[in-house]
Amino acid sequence: MLVSGLLELAPGVRRYFDPACGDGSLLSAALAVHRDEPDLARGGLFGVDIDPAFVDAARQRIRRQIGDLRSPELDRHLVCADALEHPEAWPHDCVVVANPPWVSFSGRQAVKRPSAHNKRRRGWPSLQGEFVERIAQYVAANGTAARLLLPGSVTELERYGPLRSEVTRWARVLGEPEELGDTAFRDVVEPAVMLTLVPRGIVDASSSAPWTAPDPRARELMNALDRFPRLPLGSFADPGVHTGNSSAELIDHTPRPGWVRVRQGRDLAPFQLTEGRCWLRTDLERAHGRRFRVGSLERFRSFPILLRQTADRPMAAVHEEPGHFRNSLLACRAVPNLDPHFITAILNGPVATAWHRSRFRDARQRSFPQVKVAHLATQPFPILDRAQAPEVHDRLASMSQSAHRPATRTDALLHELRVTALRAFRLSSELEARVSECE
């Protein structure tokens, strides 16, 4: 698909370059498309990889494919180098076909940065980001095109905004990224997309805007919801216990003297918060090489609402009997003139689900769907002050409070809550139907 997309853009393509070629699978695919042109391998395939074993495998693969176990041109065209450190390894006037390494230098799955390049990057630091920026510069300099296989997060997450801004300084994203989902590749849970870059053609300001857009019907709903207000800036936070590299010293599944209960994501469901099933040590001392964050009990108590982080939609509960919680739970601060039970009614409601699932790819991935602070900050609310609609506010708050109590939580009540939370936005019947389709 990567190669065929390039041929649609430029039918006369005869020179391909992969700056992170691995064992040559993409270059092999290019050769397969041009199966009637065996000379392509000798003059039109170029690749770079930092691993000499991969480079050797790529050479052998192409040689077997063309039936020529010598082809000395491949020794010159498929080279071992760090493409990001050695710009001279990039040949001129090629189209780029690439699946750059998906490596993050920050976050839970971070690895240590292997080199000094681009240390000052703003936003989310990643190896795929450094490659896509360099490829965009190549596209601009050579007046060519590129087809890339990337994690979907690059196209929409806020922390990749600086990267998108830098890329669009040099190149234009052609159309919308093609979503492959999170089942396209074995053992890969991150949704994948195919992205096409072409020269800009005109001078224009770069943009950090997401490179994705919902389907037309979803776009109509998103535009309608965009007119509603959001909770005050900073309402949502990630204050929970971060165990870092000290989980074994901080968390246990059985009680210990002096340890306290700690809640985690699985202890929360819509309108329901159970007591923690794990125990937390709160007096662990700092030491060299030990990384963690606990925080004071007063800080945890200051958040009246908790939300589950690993979920395909917002799931919220009032923080009754407040105590410690891990970072698999997010939190919402008190909002003046809004009852916390009203806020949970909206967050657990159908509009919040529709917004989250339509707007953010993380919610649609099969494995480990995510709710993030930045996503919650965009969540529309029908009102920001009880005085704007006191009857609706009080009714939702009262029903939500009943839903938090097992004795009064019924299917009929939850259905009425859903309908009332939806109608609080006063959408058209067509848009209400669209909301229901997203649940």
Side-chain angles (χ1 to χ4, degrees):
M1 290 187 288
L2 286 170
V3 175
S4 60
L6 284 171
L7 285 176
E8 292 174 7
L9 288 173
V13 168
R14 293 300 181 272
R15 287 168 62 86
Y16 294 88
F17 174 53
D18 185 347
C21 67
D23 66 357
S25 59
L26 293 181
L27 296 175
S28 174
L31 185 59
V33 169
H34 295 275
R35 59 177 60 90
D36 297 329
E37 304 174 55
D39 288 342
L40 180 73
R42 299 182 176 89
L45 299 182
F46 300 83
V48 177
D49 200 275
I50 200 169
D51 188 330
F54 274 142
V55 173
D56 184 64
R59 290 169 179 167
Q60 298 306 317
R61 181 175 193 158
I62 300 300
R63 284 169 175 155
R64 288 194 300 270
Q65 192 170 352
I66 64 176
D68 183 350
L69 299 182
R70 296 180 181 179
S71 56
E73 295 88 353
L74 290 177
D75 291 335
R76 299 192 300 271
H77 292 179
L78 302 181
V79 299
C80 182
D82 183 340
L84 296 173
E85 293 281 5
H86 297 90
E88 70 278 4
W90 295 59
H92 295 292
D93 303 324
C94 292
V95 295
V96 177
V97 55
N99 175 19
W102 297 11
V103 178
S104 175
F105 301 134
S106 182
R108 293 181 179 179
Q109 297 179 326
V111 301
K112 185 177 180 181
R113 186 185 295 271
S115 63
H117 50 74
N118 285 345
K119 277 189 174 180
R120 295 183 180 178
R121 176 182 305 284
R122 294 177 299 141
W124 192 275
S126 69
L127 194 55
Q128 65 267 20
E130 295 178 8
F131 267 99
V132 72
E133 181 179 328
R134 181 66 184 84
I135 290 168
Q137 295 169 355
Y138 180 90
V139 165
N142 289 269
T144 186
R147 290 270 283 178
L148 313 176
L149 188 65
L150 295 169
S153 54
V154 170
T155 67
E156 66 176 8
L157 285 193
E158 182 179 6
R159 288 192 64 183
Y160 277 110
L163 170 66
R164 292 192 293 272
S165 183
E166 184 63 23
V167 168
T168 52
R169 283 184 58 202
W170 304 97
R172 178 169 62 92
V173 178
L174 186 66
E176 295 178 6
E178 300 169 48
E179 295 196 24
L180 303 181
D182 58 349
T183 60
F185 304 101
R186 189 177 64 184
D187 300 327
V188 176
V189 298
E190 168 85 20
V193 298
M194 285 193 298
L195 185 76
T196 302
L197 297 179
V198 295
R200 296 192 68 170
I202 59 173
V203 177
D204 196 7
S206 63
S207 172
S208 63
W211 292 333
T212 56
D215 65 69
R217 293 178 64 216
R219 188 180 295 115
E220 182 183 2
L221 176 61
M222 295 297 100
N223 290 339
L225 293 177
D226 238 349
R227 295 192 288 268
F228 286 89
R230 274 65 172 171
L231 294 188
L233 188 66
S235 293
F236 296 99
D238 174 19
V241 172
H242 285 243
T243 57
N245 64 355
S246 306
S247 179
E249 299 172 275
L250 285 169
I251 302 295
D252 203 337
H253 294 280
T254 57
R256 293 190 182 189
W259 292 39
V260 299
R261 286 188 184 273
V262 58
R263 292 184 172 105
Q264 51 193 342
R266 64 179 181 173
D267 297 321
L268 187 147
F271 303 107
Q272 301 175 56
L273 185 64
T274 61
E275 66 178 9
R277 287 172 276 189
C278 290
W279 298 81
L280 170 70
R281 179 180 178 182
T282 60
D283 62 352
L284 185 64
E285 295 182 357
R286 297 284 174 182
H288 179 71
R290 183 183 285 166
R291 301 188 305 275
F292 66 93
R293 184 189 76 191
V294 173
S296 67
L297 179 58
E298 289 71 23
R299 176 166 172 78
F300 291 105
R301 286 175 171 169
S302 69
F303 293 94
I305 298 169
L306 299 184
L307 301 101
R308 186 166 180 164
Q309 186 183 64
T310 303
D312 64 354
R313 67 197 70 195
M315 296 183 182
V318 169
H319 192 193
E320 295 173 334
E321 299 181 11
H324 293 81
F325 52 87
R326 299 185 68 175
N327 64 325
S328 52
L329 289 169
L330 304 176
C332 179
R333 294 182 170 89
V335 178
N337 305 318
L338 288 181
D339 189 309
H341 286 285
F342 168 81
I343 295 175
T344 61
I346 298 301
L347 291 173
N348 288 321
V351 169
T353 295
W355 175 267
H356 192 71
R357 292 185 60 79
S358 297
R359 187 74 178 266
F360 304 111
R361 182 182 286 109
D362 299 59
R364 303 191 296 272
Q365 63 192 42
R366 174 177 53 90
S367 301
F368 303 110
Q370 296 288 305
V371 173
K372 299 181 178 178
V373 169
H375 297 170
L376 293 168
T378 72
Q379 182 62 53
F381 273 74
I383 59 172
L384 291 187
D385 192 313
R386 177 186 178 276
Q388 296 174 307
E391 291 185 7
V392 172
H393 173 278
D394 293 351
R395 186 180 179 199
L396 279 170
S398 176
M399 287 192 292
S400 176
Q401 193 167 18
S402 296
H404 277 82
R405 301 191 186 104
T408 53
R409 185 189 308 121
T410 64
D411 290 342
L413 172 67
L414 294 175
H415 174 74
E416 186 179 3
L417 247 175
R418 175 200 170 279
V419 172
T420 306
L422 173 57
R423 291 179 178 169
F425 286 86
R426 305 182 69 175
L427 300 172
S428 68
S429 57
E430 292 79 10
L431 291 180
E432 285 191 353
R434 174 60 186 163
V435 168
S436 298
E437 290 174 5
C438 294
E439 289 188 276

